[in-house]
Amino acid sequence: MTEYLPFVRPAIGETTRRGVCEVLESGWITSGPQVAAFEQELGTYLGGRPTLCFGHATGAMEEVLRALELEENDEVIVPAMTFAATLNVVWRVGARPVLVDVDPLTRNLTAEAVAKVVTERTRVIMPVHFAGLSVDLDSLYALARERGLRVVEDAAHAIGTRYRERRIGSFGDIVCFSFHANKNLTTIEGGAVCSDDKALMERLRLLRFHGQEKLDDGGYDILFPASKHNLSDVAARIGRDQLAVLDERNAQRLSLASRYFSELEGLRAEGRLQLPARGDAGHAWHMFTVRIPYQQLGTNRQAVRAKLHEHGIGTGVHYPSLSTLTVTRERNLGVGQSFEAAEAIGRETLTLPLFPEMQASDVERVARALAEVLHG
Ligand SMILES: *Cc1c(COP(=O)(O)O)cnc(C)c1O
């Protein structure tokens, strides 16, 4: 009996488990020396940039937008193909989201599409590096400079991704990472922001922890009513080990993804599935998502997933197009706009198993099962 293959499985090794026990026994388990060390190491990994850890990326992105002091009619451009958090945070701070369709192959927004929806009220662009494939940032930052816009990168999928040989986060305006259990680097739940904008980072420090400022006399003052988003030392201890092996694990992801490309070539040639954009060696391969024309094949996604499950293979759906969500429709967002690519991806996408501890033989197994199911 072969073991069930989930679509993702976090890898927490023995050293980390021991390290976590040491933190638990140290008596200091919330934000302290481990968070300070993790922020230092992460900053170094990102080319020496100031980095702040958060309890999750959703909170980090929300506080970043809050720190930018957006007003009610200020517009924030978000790709229609992303996890809902990218959109929700815009509403949470009272600004106005503007959706933009993505490229059908890369699933990323493009500067060209963004330029068409920029208005006098646009303040921020929030690109998402889908599945770990970098957005074309040169053209996007050129547009941002020209129009005086801030860029908040949702790099939840892109820790370790490189764009033209530079790591995502080592440059750019404001870059947010997620360390959720499914991400390439996990702290169970967690996130980080990095930016060279000193004033913004100082503001974020306050927004992260009650608006609290430490005083010279050992006491503290509260400057304004803020929320709480700090990472714990237990989580940071996990993150430090994960960071130490990140590049190695991302290389393993790249190699498994390459295997998928060769194993699935037959199905692609038969028109039974569409492979994702391949990118270059800088792709962090957070996910391997294919598109399947279910209707054309006389089936549906639910049935395909159920059959793969019977073969002992887990799959995911990343993501429904934001344009189809209730939260979007009830707020009349995107009315009169076309999200043809994002909606087609949303209907047809299927996330196949991909995590660093998988073997090439697991990829073969997925490809065999998929061939059987899609020929069925
Ligand atoms: C996971 C994810 C988030 C949210 O990250 P959390 O750390 O879970 O808050 C945001 N955006 C994208 C694209 C994600 O995949």
Side-chain angles (χ1 to χ4, degrees), residues 134-151:
S134 177
V135 166
D136 183 5
L137 289 174
D138 284 347
S139 55
L140 194 73
Y141 273 103
L143 173 69
R145 270 192 302 276
E146 187 188 309
R147 303 298 303 253
L149 308 175
R150 300 302 298 257
V151 177

Side-chain angles (χ1 to χ4, degrees), residues 2-135:
T2 37
E3 214 182 315
Y4 192 82
L5 184 68
F7 80 84
V8 63
R9 186 164 58 207
I12 310 281
E14 177 56 27
T15 315
T16 306
R17 290 199 289 273
R18 251 182 304 164
V20 164
C21 282
E22 282 166 23
V23 174
L24 289 173
E25 286 158 9
S26 76
W28 193 294
I29 58 178
T30 189
S31 309
Q34 293 296 330
V35 170
F38 184 40
E39 282 180 341
Q40 184 69 40
E41 290 159 8
L42 205 51
T44 302
Y45 182 81
L46 300 173
R49 290 186 109 196
T51 304
L52 287 172
C53 283
F54 275 73
H56 39 78
T58 305
M61 293 192 298
E62 180 175 331
E63 297 305 353
V64 163
L65 294 182
R66 190 163 283 122
L68 293 176
E69 300 184 321
L70 301 182
E71 287 167 16
E72 206 178 323
N73 289 318
D74 286 345
E75 294 173 356
V76 178
I77 297 172
V78 173
M81 180 44 55
T82 176
F83 181 55
T86 325
L87 173 61
N88 282 349
V89 294
V90 180
W91 272 312
R92 297 272 307 155
V93 301
R96 187 185 289 178
V98 173
L99 295 182
V100 66
D101 203 5
V102 295
D103 177 90
L105 251 184
T106 65
R107 298 167 203 210
N108 282 333
L109 55 66
T110 62
E112 202 184 353
V114 169
K116 291 189 184 133
V117 296
V118 169
T119 71
E120 291 301 298
R121 310 224 65 124
T122 309
R123 295 275 314 277
V124 180
I125 310 169
M126 290 185 80
V128 176
H129 307 289
F130 196 92
L133 175 66
S134 177
V135 166

Side-chain angles (χ1 to χ4, degrees), residues 317-362:
V317 176
H318 301 91
Y319 304 91
S321 171
L322 294 184
S323 57
T324 65
L325 302 178
T326 297
V327 67
T328 304
R329 289 188 287 117
E330 280 187 353
R331 284 162 182 75
N332 294 318
L333 177 61
V335 170
Q337 275 178 274
S338 162
F339 302 103
E340 195 184 332
E343 289 178 9
I345 293 164
R347 278 192 305 273
E348 299 190 344
T349 193
L350 189 70
T351 305
L352 303 181
L354 180 63
F355 51 89
E357 288 182 326
M358 272 172 62
Q359 305 293 315
S361 57
D362 294 317

